[in-house]
Amino acid sequence: MKKNKIFFGLFFLLLLATSLTYVEGHTMIRSPKVINSFISQKQIISPINSNKEINFVAILKMKNSSGFNQYLEEVYNPASKNYHKFLNSSEIRRRFYPNRTEIGEIKKEFERDGFKIKSVNGLSMKISAKASSVDSKLGTSTAYFKKGNSTSFGILKQAQIPKNLHNRISSFRSLNNFPKIRPFIKIRKYSSTGTAPFSPADIQKAYNYTSLYSEGINGTGITVAIVDAYGDPTIVDDLNNFSDTYNLTKPKLNIFYPCNLSVLPTDSGWSTETALDVEWVHAIAPSATIDLVITDNNYTRSPNCGLYDGISYVVNNLSSASVMSLSWGSNEIDSTSTDLKNVSDTYFGSAAVQGISTIISSGDCGAFYTEANGNCNKSLLSTSFPASSPYVTAVGGTTLNLNSSGDYNNETAWNWSGGGVSTIFSKPSWQIGIGVPSDSKRDVPDVSLDADPNSGVVIVWNSSYWQVGGTSLSAPLWAGTAALINQKINRDRKSVV
């Protein structure tokens, strides 16, 4: 079913491997004793101020979800008449999304109780209301929490879907301000002493990209979309500097800011992530066009525009993109199964049915839980989402070793490469092959490339040179590889992977 399985036979790779109940006029999603592990680790301080404005997102149901899932299976089945007959965003909206009348009815249901509808994009409806109104209508109980020195707010019990909307809404998201999504970058200052990080030429030679370049396979005609938070104020100058320093083709970079965001906070972690993503997609596919989509990372802050809005923007607005690269994630166990399944279907299923290959970092804590500060909590197991979505290619990390001539010598699994068994998603039909566990669960990662920060690669950030690693590196490496594959297939007059 899944297009990304074609990678397994096309190129080098390393294989590493809700029930609903009706309660007093509401459709309530059953919740565990606590909503998620994050809440269980925090101390409840007090109820939230009843007048505090809460920004959240309602995920709307498809009007024909079974038809959508069937088409998604068929479009990747070589035996089907619909094989590789990808849909565009307009066709998806027409066939599977609620129409204007249906959306209008949902709006009225909320607006009559004082809720404000801020926007509707695809299957995401952004809503705001006072905390007291949210608690009353959705049957929640909002409170302040404290863990260490951090204070946040969230809900104590799972939101309920009003009975007359249970056929229109799948779930609610962002009814809290924790935990934020993290980039998976490992960074240190470039040093002229010791082992130097790999340059673009080193990686190109090691993985034999140079033989593809000699055939004219360099990413020409392919667009890779990258979604990051906050952005990098110096990305244009740094990318040009990186390209000139390492004798790459002049870059083609477009930057998009969805949701009319005019001012974004600065964040060194995310700005270095942005530099890494852009520069190393360019290093692998130097003639590809890069569409960089920048969002906020906080749905609770107006205009509540987060990273999934960036994905929605790619799916609904960037029709030329055939590859999407994401080097970030959050712990799977910090969300409910219903929430993540709806996010997976809404965003990544829609990308897959359009023929977009979504490439995602698997994380940097092995099989363990990643804390907000990036530390690994070895007392908790958790795969990373969205890497665990069955509609994406999850990319783990290796330690790449070269010989004295700079040629490929060997490659081993990097100890902290994210991976494990999903507690939410079943094993998809395409996840078969040598080394894949014979279990019934989605296993992560799917493929791996260089990520070990001890060797690392070089980037230019803020006009300086840095050594970086983590699966934040392996994902853009694989995204660049996918761009080369798509160009080769296009040139051979076949469809994209």
Side-chain angles (χ1 to χ4, degrees), residues 175-426:
L175 285 165
N176 59 62
N177 65 347
F178 60 81
K180 293 186 176 67
I181 294 170
R182 296 166 296 277
F184 294 126
I185 188 170
K186 306 291 185 184
I187 184 167
R188 66 181 70 167
K189 188 70 175 179
Y190 182 100
S191 175
S192 58
T193 61
T195 303
F198 294 139
S199 69
D202 293 329
I203 296 295
Q204 291 168 353
K205 181 181 180 182
Y207 286 127
N208 199 24
Y209 290 107
T210 51
S211 65
L212 294 176
Y213 301 152
S214 67
E215 298 176 16
I217 303 300
N218 52 24
T220 297
I222 303 300
T223 297
V224 178
I226 297 170
V227 181
D228 278 319
Y230 306 135
D232 176 9
T234 61
I235 185 59
V236 174
D237 290 340
D238 289 343
L239 176 59
N240 286 328
N241 188 349
F242 179 82
S243 191
D244 291 343
T245 299
Y246 297 105
N247 299 312
L248 301 172
T249 304
K250 182 177 176 61
K252 292 175 282 189
L253 174 66
N254 304 309
I255 305 178
F256 301 90
Y257 296 90
C259 313
N260 299 315
L261 288 167
S262 56
V263 179
L264 281 168
T266 56
D267 184 292
S268 60
W270 278 103
S271 60
T272 52
E273 178 64 64
T274 302
L276 167 58
D277 292 345
V278 171
E279 291 171 13
W280 276 88
V281 167
H282 179 57
I284 302 306
S287 293
T289 297
I290 298 174
D291 285 353
L292 175 62
V293 179
I294 299 300
T295 72
D296 200 345
N297 189 26
N298 190 340
Y299 279 100
T300 62
R301 175 172 54 213
S302 182
N304 57 310
C305 179
L307 286 157
Y308 289 107
D309 290 291
I311 296 170
S312 181
Y313 187 84
V314 173
V315 170
N316 290 294
N317 297 279
L318 302 183
S319 59
S320 62
S322 62
V323 181
M324 179 164 54
S325 181
L326 313 175
S327 294
W328 43 262
S330 58
N331 298 296
E332 193 182 70
I333 62 173
D334 277 343
S335 299
T336 65
S337 60
T338 301
D339 184 16
L340 294 192
K341 285 179 179 179
N342 286 327
V343 169
S344 178
D345 292 345
T346 299
Y347 299 105
F348 301 111
S350 294
V353 84
Q354 291 188 55
I356 300 173
S357 297
T358 302
I359 314 296
I360 301 182
S361 301
S362 68
D364 294 347
C365 275
F368 301 114
Y369 183 96
T370 307
E371 298 283 3
N373 60 6
N375 292 337
C376 303
N377 183 341
K378 297 181 182 180
S379 66
L380 279 176
L381 295 176
S382 180
T383 52
S384 176
F385 181 85
S388 60
S389 167
Y391 301 123
V392 310
T393 295
V395 186
T398 67
T399 298
L400 172 65
N401 298 300
L402 308 183
N403 62 23
S404 58
S405 299
D407 294 314
Y408 183 98
N409 185 28
N410 60 61
E411 206 162 10
T412 58
W414 175 47
N415 287 344
W416 289 106
S417 170
V421 179
S422 172
T423 60
I424 292 176
F425 297 102
S426 300

